[in-house]
Amino acid sequence: MPVPSPDTMQGAAPTPPNRRLPTVAFSLALVAVGLIGGFGAVKLADDPHTAKPELLVGTVTWSNDETRSIAFEEDGALRGPSDGDTIYSVIAESWQDAGGTLHHDGTYPTCLVGEENKPVSVDRHRVELEVLHRDTGAKAQHIAVHVHCLD
């Protein structure tokens, strides 16, 4: 078997650094274009009509379990003296008690229930709410989709 000469071995030398630079730059440009295109596609696919819940912590100052409505004061929210209560409709089918147990039975959260045979409660209870705000054109509608009793 003939042995290859050193002249034939020269063709197997690694690519010189000055030729690798354009290849690496081209690869990085393709990755950047892919990332920008991907983020752009996700942004275009984002539906502006999709409801995104907001997490609020505060105090329920009034609750009516018959109408499933509460008056809620958000922690740190500045209110003027003539501002009325912010009323939320509680549509939550599941809720979480202060111990962390989830209830999926459609009952009204125990921290919002009034005394026996009285639907209204004015006990001040700390809660964490996941809420949606719906602009009806005249007055905003506030909807609590999840209640977490904190006390």
Side-chain angles (χ1 to χ4, degrees):
M1 192 177 245
V3 177
S5 70
D7 293 336
T8 0
M9 296 293 289
Q10 276 184 332
T15 309
N18 61 349
R19 295 184 106 187
R20 253 187 287 169
L21 183 62
T23 305
V24 170
F26 181 71
S27 298
L28 289 175
L30 283 178
V31 168
V33 167
L35 286 172
I36 292 169
F39 282 116
V42 168
K43 190 65 178 168
L44 287 174
D46 187 23
D47 186 358
H49 302 292
T50 301
K52 295 175 183 146
E54 178 183 5
L55 188 63
L56 303 176
V57 176
T59 304
V60 172
T61 59
W62 173 89
S63 176
N64 185 328
D65 63 358
E66 285 181 349
T67 63
R68 295 181 76 94
S69 302
I70 60 173
F72 178 74
E73 292 178 356
E74 181 184 0
D75 288 352
L78 298 175
R79 292 176 25 141
S82 62
D83 290 344
D85 290 329
T86 303
I87 304 297
Y88 286 81
S89 298
V90 179
I91 65 167
E93 289 297 318
S94 65
W95 58 277
Q96 190 173 6
D97 63 28
T101 304
L102 287 171
H103 301 267
H104 301 285
D105 52 6
T107 58
Y108 200 61
T110 55
C111 62
L112 305 179
V113 174
E115 294 177 21
E116 191 174 326
N117 298 325
K118 293 185 180 179
V120 174
S121 169
V122 290
D123 299 335
R124 297 177 64 87
H125 287 284
R126 302 273 304 144
V127 296
E128 180 180 76
L129 301 176
E130 283 184 45
V131 301
L132 300 173
H133 305 285
R134 181 174 174 238
D135 185 6
T136 59
K139 186 175 181 182
Q141 183 180 23
H142 307 287
I143 304 163
V145 295
H146 182 77
V147 177
H148 178 192
C149 300
L150 299 177
D151 62 10

